[in-house]
Amino acid sequence: MRTIALLTGIALCAGISSCDKEPEFNLPPVTQNGSNTLGFKANGKVWVNYGQICNFFDCVDNFVEGRLHKNTDGTYTLIVRAEYNYKFKDEKKYISQSFSFGAYDVNGPGIYTLTPEHEDMAAMEVDMNQNDFYHLVNDASLTLHLTRLDTVSHIVSGQFEGKLNHYTDASKIMHITDGRFDTKLTYSW
């Protein structure tokens, strides 16, 4: 009898929107062809650019932005940014997160250590309404292995890992592992 009640409960939960759970994600493959992907594990949970951003006029798919910015001193900063948005079936719960990093003085493929002292930036917004976001401060760092920076085909790709510190709670740390990105490259001069 318990088995029947359990199976009935599972079946009901599957059909009721309040049981809607966040989708399960897999990391995107490591590629170098501008495939519009960014993914990593944040404290062991897979995070990928996913969903749509909607306003009053239309909805657009999330994308990864890779931008090479020329600094006033002649160096270049690489900025990579992605968002994750998910609206649950009951529309009462909504997830809107973002991840970005900026690597100062990038001059081609190689390994870069992003730190606050080097004017680099990295941030992960988990929930702005709850003041829950992490960034590159104090002893936080991110190691970037830039595998492709192609200004002819306009593609940037690489891998990254490291840790970010919480904005207001020093006891909270976001460990970033298995990071990878592959996107088209734009420019700002």
Side-chain angles (χ1 to χ4, degrees), residues 90-149:
D90 66 6
E91 297 189 17
K92 292 178 183 171
K93 185 176 177 188
Y94 184 74
I95 295 172
S96 181
Q97 299 180 352
S98 67
F99 175 79
S100 61
F101 67 81
Y104 178 74
D105 199 13
V106 170
N107 54 22
I111 297 176
Y112 299 88
T113 301
L114 283 60
T115 64
E117 295 81 24
H118 193 250
E119 299 182 36
D120 300 310
M121 176 279 298
M124 180 178 177
E125 177 186 325
V126 177
D127 186 345
M128 187 60 94
N129 293 330
Q130 299 295 319
N131 206 21
D132 192 12
F133 60 97
Y134 298 79
H135 59 145
L136 199 61
V137 293
N138 303 329
D139 64 341
S141 68
L142 204 66
T143 301
L144 168 65
H145 180 196
L146 193 56
T147 56
R148 184 173 184 186
L149 182 61

Side-chain angles (χ1 to χ4, degrees), residues 1 27 33 39 62 74 94 98 169:
M1 188 59 124
L27 289 172
N33 57 11
N62 283 330
Y94 184 74
S98 67
D169 186 347

